[in-house]
């Protein structure tokens, strides 16, 4: 009998960073998520509180490493990457989602960073996957493809909303780049982008039906690829973010939608589409 692949859906801490663990963990549990994707605190006491509260709630952890964005020069970026990945892996997450490298580093430099991440992942026994994201080594399909050739085992987080704005399209004209990329995906950020930005105002609105359909088609392919590979589970994080990712009204800067509500709604859509 074929074993069913489990779906684990994580709530992003992004947009709720002001909430302490005592508030955010129960909120995530009550909303029906399986875990939290968050940056692991560097302070031992704070890190322990989050870990204890999540364990008591039965929630899993995906560690998010994005702070290398504050370290643009290669040497300091590499040092920060090692420090942040070690801190993330020490928390024993399901995986680490890493913002790695820069689109203006040389290929040799970015490969050096990927090798460092591999070494730390092996040392701790925690998978490190690298997010498709603007300004990173993966910020455009033509930037990424040489790394896929150089590193056939490269594991990615698919946040394809970034490619929509980088390519100013829903990628209709490049099925070959998607065919090369999707087999490398191990984690999905389920945010819906469009040709002019990384996040639609509300993915449920009829004017965004085409963008939603395109993203669902890509996610369907990833889920089927992971099932075919015999993966025991697939992780997805709905990742609609706060302003300025959420569009705002002029002058008042009031958000036109609520990112948390969109993430909960996306969770429900994914559960209905893929099961548990």
């Amino acid at each position: 009998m074929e074993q069913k692949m489990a779906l684990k859906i994580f709530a992003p801490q992004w947009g709720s960073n002001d909430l302490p663990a005592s508030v955010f963990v129960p909120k995530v549990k009550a909303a029906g998520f399986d875990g939290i994707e968050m940056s692991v605190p560097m302070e031992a006491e704070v890190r322990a509180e989050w870990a204890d509260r999540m364990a008591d709630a039965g929630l899993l952890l995906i560690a998010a490493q994005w702070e290398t964005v504050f370290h643009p020069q290669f040497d300091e970026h590499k040092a920060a990457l090692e420090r942040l990945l070690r801190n993330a892996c020490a928390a024993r997450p399901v995986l680490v989602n890493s913002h790695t490298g820069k689109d203006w580093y040389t290929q040799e430099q970015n490969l050096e960073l990927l090798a460092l991440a591999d070494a730390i992942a092996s040392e701790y026994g925690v998978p490190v996957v690298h997010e498709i994201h603007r300004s990173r080594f993966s910020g455009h399909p033509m930037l990424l493809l040489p790394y896929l050739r150089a590193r056939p085992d490269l594991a990615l987080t698919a946040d394809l909303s970034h490619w929509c704005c980088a390519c100013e399209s829903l990628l209709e004209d490049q099925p070959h780049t998607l065919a090369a990329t999707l087999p490398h995906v191990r984690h999905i950020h389920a945010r819906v982008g469009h040709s002019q930005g990384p996040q639609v105002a509300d993915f449920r609105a009829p004017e965004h039906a085409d963008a939603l359909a395109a993203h669902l088609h890509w996610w369907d392919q990833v889920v089927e690829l992971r099932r075919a590979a015999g993966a025991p589970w697939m992780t997805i994080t709905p990742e609609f973010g706060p302003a300025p990712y959420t569009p705002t009204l002029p002058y008042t800067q009031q958000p036109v939608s609520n990112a948390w509500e969109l993430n909960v709604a996306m969770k429900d859509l994914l559960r209905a589409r893929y099961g548990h």
Side-chain angles (χ1 to χ4, degrees):
M1 182 177 177
E2 183 180 355
Q3 185 176 1
K4 185 177 180 181
M5 184 178 72
L7 179 69
K8 302 295 183 182
I9 305 182
F10 291 71
Q13 187 195 30
W14 183 37
S16 301
N17 305 65
D18 57 330
L19 298 181
S22 60
V23 175
F24 189 60
V25 170
K27 180 178 181 178
V28 169
K29 184 68 174 179
F33 289 94
D34 298 304
I36 297 173
E37 181 169 337
M38 63 178 289
S39 176
V40 176
M42 297 294 288
E43 303 84 357
E45 189 174 318
V46 180
R47 185 169 61 245
E49 181 188 1
W50 277 94
D52 290 346
R53 290 186 182 276
M54 290 176 65
D56 290 345
L59 295 176
L60 301 169
L61 169 67
I62 289 178
Q65 184 297 108
W66 59 272
E67 295 90 343
T68 45
V69 70
F70 299 120
H71 303 279
Q73 301 308 314
F74 177 74
D75 288 342
E76 64 180 60
H77 185 105
K78 183 179 178 181
L81 182 66
E82 178 168 7
R83 180 173 66 253
L84 292 162
L85 286 182
R86 288 188 178 279
N87 183 63
C89 288
R92 310 308 302 175
V94 171
L95 58 85
V96 179
N97 177 62
S98 180
H99 284 227
T100 308
K102 291 286 187 180
D103 56 4
W104 50 269
Y105 289 170
T106 66
Q107 184 174 357
E108 290 73 19
Q109 287 175 320
N110 281 321
L111 286 171
E112 186 175 332
L113 298 174
L114 293 173
L116 172 62
D118 279 353
I120 294 171
S122 295
E123 178 181 341
Y124 286 86
V126 175
V128 176
V129 300
H130 304 276
E131 184 172 344
I132 291 173
H133 199 289
R134 287 168 298 161
S135 87
R136 314 303 184 254
F137 78 93
S138 56
H140 185 281
M142 289 300 103
L143 289 175
L144 177 62
L145 290 182
Y147 294 97
L148 300 184
R149 290 191 288 269
R151 293 287 309 274
D153 59 343
L154 185 61
L156 299 172
T157 292
D159 190 337
L160 296 167
S161 68
H162 291 284
W163 279 3
C164 291
C165 36
C167 299
E168 204 172 20
S169 71
L170 292 175
L171 311 179
E172 307 94 333
D173 53 351
Q174 46 182 308
H176 57 293
T177 63
L178 290 165
T181 300
L182 297 184
H184 292 264
V185 173
R186 300 295 179 267
H187 178 48
I188 292 172
H189 276 178
R191 186 177 61 250
V192 176
H194 58 107
S195 63
Q196 302 302 318
Q199 182 170 306
V200 298
D202 188 328
F203 72 89
R204 301 164 295 187
E207 60 268 30
H208 300 309
D210 289 347
L212 175 61
H215 285 73
L216 287 172
H217 178 60
W218 303 327
W219 303 339
D220 287 349
Q221 292 178 71
V222 172
V223 169
E224 286 308 311
L225 285 164
R226 299 309 295 150
R227 280 181 178 146
W233 62 11
M234 181 72 209
T235 58
I236 306 181
T237 301
E239 211 209 15
F240 292 92
Y245 265 70
T246 295
T248 58
L249 296 172
Y251 302 105
T252 66
Q253 297 299 294
Q254 289 299 304
V256 302
S257 57
N258 182 289
W260 174 257
E261 290 178 3
L262 292 178
N263 287 324
V264 173
M266 179 57 76
K267 169 191 64 72
D268 293 341
L269 184 158
L270 295 170
R271 289 252 192 256
R273 193 173 187 89
Y274 304 126
H276 292 266

